[in-house]
């Protein structure tokens, strides 16, 4: 029974990873596509490749995700993890359907926490506060501020240049910044799935707490998120690329550069699983606000913020229901 449930958890985790890929594909390439720096297919192909490579750059975020809850080392613990995954997948699909760029990261952690609470298991609130909630609040503010500042610097530096040539140059630069963003997405989001799979293997007794991530877990998670990215997330891409603000190449470059820098810093320095969605969206708003604050469609931005706020609790609530159903069906 334990082996069967471990296999089920691994499969469902990879399904989540796939939904993460097509849900968050827009994070890396929406600005490049909307400014016509890259065609959609080339952008998706590049994002898929760099997502795959980024998954191999570290394991610290995976370790953080695997430590947010403490579940029993038995079948019941596996049911808890499975319930959390179903909650995250359900919320991803709901927000994808409505074209809202919510956070797959917070959906995953919210789902795990919801299932743990429903089962009476221990939630490591100190890890949640330090590695999830504080970065969740700070990363959009930092993203908005830095993108606003970088774009002001770009405008000042190139103020006397031919603007057509400047924008053409930044359109080429967006190829690099979009690749950097895709690499950061793979670094951050693929590791979250690795963390859940490691938690399932640990609960099932197949690995020890101090063991490194098995190579097959890294390959599987990298492959699933890359396939999901290649499938595309056109609904959310439209929201990020055009509905918030109509970006030009310079603002697209500034947004992607700032967002990717934040992703690398939080992964390598703080080991925090932050939201790539929140980071790039806030950076787009910051760079766009340099035109004038009214250029940003704040009504759309408000809907996105509402989705951000709701993600953690809603994924948790859905996970509670999923846990109850699984508990009844499996009887663990």
């Amino acid at each position: 029974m334990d082996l069967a449930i471990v296999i089920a958890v691994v499969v469902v985790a990879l399904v989540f990873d796939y939904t993460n890929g097509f849900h968050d594909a827009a994070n890396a390439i929406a600005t490049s596509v909307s400014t016509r720096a890259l065609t959609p297919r080339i952008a998706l192909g590049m994002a898929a490749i760099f997502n795959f490579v980024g998954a191999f750059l570290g394991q610290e975020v995976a370790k953080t995700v695997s430590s947010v809850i403490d579940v029993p080392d038995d079948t019941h613990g596996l049911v808890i993890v499975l319930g959390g995954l179903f909650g995250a997948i359900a919320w991803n699909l709901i927000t994808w359907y409505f074209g809202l760029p919510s956070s797959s990261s917070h959906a995953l952690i919210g789902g795990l926490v919801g299932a743990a609470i429903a089962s009476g298991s221990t939630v490591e609130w100190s890890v949640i506060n330090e590695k999830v909630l504080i970065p969740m609040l700070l990363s959009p503010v930092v993203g908005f501020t830095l993108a606003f500042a970088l774009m002001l610097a770009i405008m000042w530096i190139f103020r006397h240049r031919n603007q057509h040539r400047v924008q053409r140059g930044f359109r080429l630069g967006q190829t690099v910044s979009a690749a950097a963003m895709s690499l950061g997405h793979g670094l951050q989001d693929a590791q979250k799935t690795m963390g859940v799979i490691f938690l399932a293997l640990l609960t099932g007794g197949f690995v020890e707490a101090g063991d490194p991530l098995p190579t097959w877990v890294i390959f599987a998670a990298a492959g699933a998120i890359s396939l999901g990215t290649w499938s595309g997330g056109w609904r959310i891409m439209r929201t990020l690329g055009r509905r918030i603000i109509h970006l030009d190449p310079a603002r697209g470059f500034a947004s992607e550069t700032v967002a990717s820098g934040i992703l690398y810093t939080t992964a390598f320095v703080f080991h925090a699983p932050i939201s790539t969605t929140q980071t790039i969206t806030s950076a787009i708003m910051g760079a766009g606000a340099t035109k004038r604050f009214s250029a940003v469609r704040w009504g759309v931005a408000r809907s996105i913020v509402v989705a951000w706020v709701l993600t953690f609790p809603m994924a948790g609530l859905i996970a509670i229901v999923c846990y109850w159903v699984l508990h009844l069906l499996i009887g663990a």
Side-chain angles (χ1 to χ4, degrees), residues 68-69 83-85 87-88 103-117 125 128 132 310-320:
V68 296
I69 60 174
L85 282 169
S103 169
S104 297
S105 308
H106 297 151
L108 175 60
I109 295 172
L112 292 174
V113 169
I117 291 173
W125 289 110
I128 297 290
V132 180
L310 288 178
T311 291
F312 196 94
M314 289 303 297
L317 288 173
I318 297 171
I320 288 172

Side-chain angles (χ1 to χ4, degrees), residues 28-29 31-32 174 177-178 181 252-261 280:
I29 61 173
T31 57
S32 300
Q174 273 197 278
S177 61
M181 186 67 199
F253 175 84
S255 304
E256 291 168 340
T257 300
V258 166
S260 58
I280 186 61

Side-chain angles (χ1 to χ4, degrees), residues 26 29-35 234-248 284 297:
I29 61 173
T31 57
S32 300
V33 172
S34 69
T35 61
W234 302 108
R235 292 172 184 265
I236 296 171
M237 196 178 299
R238 187 164 54 247
T239 299
L240 280 179
R242 295 189 178 278
R243 288 182 60 200
I244 296 174
I245 187 171
H246 188 76
L247 290 172
D248 55 49
I284 288 172
R297 297 184 177 93

Side-chain angles (χ1 to χ4, degrees), residues 280-330:
I280 186 61
T281 305
S282 59
I284 288 172
M285 292 178 190
T290 57
K291 281 186 176 181
R292 59 185 186 283
F293 268 76
S294 60
V296 179
R297 297 184 177 93
W298 295 107
V300 176
R302 185 167 56 248
S303 299
I304 293 170
V305 171
V306 169
W308 288 353
V309 173
L310 288 178
T311 291
F312 196 94
M314 289 303 297
L317 288 173
I318 297 171
I320 288 172
V321 175
C322 292
Y323 164 76
W324 285 339
V325 172
L326 290 168
H327 188 61
L328 289 173
L329 290 175
I330 298 174

